[in-house]
Every structure is written in structure tokens, then in C-alpha cells.
Amino acid sequence: MLSRVFGLGRRSFDTLSEQEILALAISSEEDDARIYRAYADGLRQEFPQSAKIFDEMADEEDDHRAALIDMHRKRFGERIPLIRREHVRGYYERKPDWLVRPLGVDHVRRMAEEMERQAQRYYAEAAKRTMDAATRKLLGDLAAAEQSHEDLAHRLGLKHTPGDVREQEHQTERRQFILTYVQPGLAGLMDGSVSTLAPIFAAAFATHDTWQTFLVGLAASVGAGISMGFTEVASDDGRLSGRGSPIKRGLATGIMTTVGGLGHALPYLIPHFTTATAVAIAIVFVELWAIAWIQNRFMDTPFWRASFQVVLGGALVFAAGVLIGSG
């Protein structure tokens, strides 16, 4: 474990032979082609035009790998040593595509640009350490090719994703983000902020005991979060509605429900009842205005209409809790 963390047992780049330099380049090009194809597969359903960009970039990496294998065959024969990125100290690493999901269009383009910059630096350094003229020329050409890949990505982007297509893809990505995270999270925040008002303030005004009120608020918030989360997961698997992963939606709903309830439960950790209640009421207003802002920002609901609906609903639930607790 320690050897993996500190790089012990890895080879230094300076100790690699020319055969190993070629072998490392071959395995790296193979890995990069696989990553580009994984990006393309991850984007294909929702962003088919951008997926074509990464398909073509993967084909480019295949061409580079073939040229490197031909050079290795001419100089060293058919047997290619097994050496990969993780065997060389200080060598750049690649994250598998499942670590960078969800695959947003702009995110994978930035990842691809960084991949090409890293590959270009490797070929430039490898060329300096090669004495064979043909190998040095090949590595230099590949360094130049990797450096031009940013232009290639740009050209492919113009070819496959002109302005109107790219705008459509951004709208699709934004819609998916809203359906998977914002909408379920907003529902949870509203439920946690509003539905827990009645039990928390009923307990507060019935007992005037801040600790007991906090326990009621904690139980109501956590219970509501678990219930809302499981309800969201069970209600829709996302296949027909296109709302995305039920696990992600369930987590967004459950977490935001709990956060919404805890917002006005935590002030009752303050031992003074009047102070705790005043702080809790202030937080309630902040939560309600935050909900109205999110509705306006992501759901295109007019701000004053959203404010009126949320504040009115919250006020009615708050009043119900106070009246029940004072009865």
C-alpha cells in the first residue's frame, strides 16, 4: 500500500530503454483510444453529434498505435514488453470514464484537451531520449500530432456540432440536470422546510423545552428524508420519463428533505427558548426565499409568484403548528 502511494517499486522514466519507451507509448495510445470510445458511448444517446468527435479521436489514437507498433516491429521484433502508466514514476494517469460520470459535454471536452497535452509532453520528452533517427522522427511527429489535437477537436466540433447543435446539446444537458437533481432536490427541500414546520413548532410551543423540540425536529427531518428518498426511488425508474438515475434522484430528494427540516430544528440546540425560536423563525424565512429563488432560477417560475406560493404555504403550516402547540 505504501509503495503504491509513494511510488516505490516504480521505474523512473530516465531508466527506460528505447524499446520500453515505445512499449509505453503503445499501451498509452491503446488506453486513450478506449477512453475516447467510452466517452463516445456515454454521450451517444443524448449527444450523438459530440459522440462522433470522440469516435474520430479514438480512430486517430488507433493510427498512432499502429505506427508505433510498426516502428517497434522494425527495431525490436514482435514481442512488446508489458509496461503501462502505473509502472512508471511520475507518469500521467488517466481516470476511467466511470469516475468522471455523469459525462457532461463540456467536461469531457476539457478532459480530452488535458489528455492530449499530457501525451504531447510525453512524446516530446521521449524524442529527446531516443538516438535512432527514425524513432526520434516518429515520436516528434506524434508530439506535433497530439499538440494539434486541440485544433482537431475544434475542427471536429465545427464539423459535428455547429452552433445550433451545440446549443441544443447544452439545453438537453441542462434539462437532464434539472430533471435528475434540481427538481427532486427542490421537492425535498420544500417538503423538509414546510412539512416539518408544524411538528417542530407544535413541540416547541407545547413544551417550551428546547432539547425535546430539537429531538422532535431531528426525528421529523431524518424520517422525512428517508421516506422521501425511498418514495422518489420507487416512483420512477427513469427509463420512460427520462428523469435519470433513481438512486441519484432519491439521494437528492432525501438529503435536501433532511437539510430543509434540520435548518429550523438545529436552532433548538440553543438552551434559551425565546432566542432559539427567533433564530428558527428567521431560518424558516431564509429557507422559503431560497426555495422561491430556485424555482425562479431553474424552473422559470416568476419570482413573486413563487414567493407568494411558498411563503403563503409556509405561513399556513407554521400557524397550524403554533396553534396546535399552544392548544
Side-chain angles (χ1 to χ4, degrees):
M1 179 66 182
L2 290 177
S3 63
R4 186 177 303 174
V5 173
F6 293 104
L8 302 177
R10 296 184 182 182
R11 294 279 300 279
S12 168
F13 178 73
D14 294 335
T15 67
L16 299 182
S17 66
E18 292 189 16
Q19 183 182 16
E20 290 170 331
I21 286 174
L22 283 176
L24 180 58
I26 291 168
S27 65
S28 297
E29 291 288 355
E30 184 176 6
D31 288 345
D32 286 355
R34 288 175 176 171
I35 291 173
Y36 285 143
R37 288 195 170 93
Y39 286 167
D41 290 342
L43 295 171
R44 201 175 311 281
Q45 183 176 356
E46 295 177 4
F47 311 107
Q49 298 303 316
S50 286
K52 293 180 181 178
I53 296 175
F54 293 101
D55 281 330
E56 295 195 24
M57 293 186 75
D59 292 339
E60 286 278 328
E61 301 302 300
D62 287 340
D63 292 340
H64 293 175
R65 179 169 59 89
L68 288 163
I69 291 175
D70 287 342
M71 179 59 65
H72 185 280
R73 182 180 291 115
K74 291 177 183 177
R75 293 194 59 196
F76 305 107
E78 296 291 335
R79 188 187 67 81
I80 301 175
L82 176 60
I83 181 167
R84 305 181 69 84
R85 291 186 175 96
E86 58 268 24
H87 301 152
V88 180
R89 186 163 58 249
Y91 197 68
Y92 61 86
E93 296 182 355
R94 297 281 193 249
K95 290 183 178 180
D97 69 289
W98 52 268
L99 283 180
V100 295
R101 289 182 184 271
L103 296 179
V105 176
D106 290 333
H107 180 61
V108 292
R109 283 180 180 148
R110 288 194 297 269
M111 294 286 292
E113 290 174 0
E114 180 61 23
M115 287 171 63
E116 300 304 331
R117 281 193 292 268
Q118 292 172 339
Q120 186 273 329
R121 286 195 294 268
Y122 170 75
Y123 285 125
E125 290 300 317
K128 296 176 184 177
R129 298 194 59 251
T130 304
M131 304 303 295
D132 178 75
T135 304
R136 187 166 189 152
K137 180 181 184 303
L138 173 61
L139 293 174
D141 290 344
L142 290 176
E146 299 291 353
Q147 190 170 22
S148 68
H149 266 193
E150 289 187 42
D151 293 333
L152 171 64
H154 179 67
R155 293 197 305 273
L156 291 174
L158 293 178
K159 174 183 175 182
H160 293 302
T161 57
D164 56 339
V165 174
R166 186 167 297 192
E167 177 61 26
Q168 182 180 358
E169 289 186 343
H170 279 298
Q171 291 299 323
T172 301
E173 188 174 20
R174 182 176 185 271
R175 176 179 176 275
Q176 192 62 54
F177 174 75
I178 290 174
L179 289 175
T180 304
Y181 295 103
V182 176
Q183 196 176 68
L186 179 62
L189 185 60
M190 292 178 67
D191 185 85
S193 298
V194 175
S195 68
T196 58
L197 286 176
I200 290 175
F201 285 102
F205 283 89
T207 65
H208 284 75
D209 185 321
T210 57
W211 177 247
Q212 295 300 322
T213 301
F214 168 73
L215 292 179
V216 171
L218 179 63
S221 302
V222 174
I226 294 172
S227 174
M228 287 287 290
F230 275 99
T231 300
E232 180 63 34
V233 171
S235 65
D236 179 11
D237 64 7
R239 294 179 182 176
L240 297 179
S241 66
R243 296 177 64 213
S245 166
I247 301 299
K248 294 176 182 177
R249 298 195 329 267
L251 286 172
T253 304
I255 291 171
M256 294 308 295
T257 301
T258 303
V259 168
L262 287 177
H264 42 269
L266 289 174
Y268 284 97
L269 289 172
I270 301 172
H272 191 271
F273 175 79
T274 303
T275 303
T277 301
V279 172
I281 292 173
I283 291 177
V284 168
F285 278 101
V286 172
E287 290 172 344
L288 296 180
W289 283 109
I291 292 170
W293 180 85
I294 293 172
Q295 285 185 316
N296 173 256
R297 174 70 175 79
F298 292 100
M299 314 303 290
D300 295 326
T301 305
F303 184 77
W304 289 110
R305 192 177 84 185
S307 301
F308 176 76
Q309 292 172 343
V310 173
V311 172
L312 177 62
L316 291 174
V317 176
F318 172 77
V322 173
L323 289 175
I324 294 172
S326 302

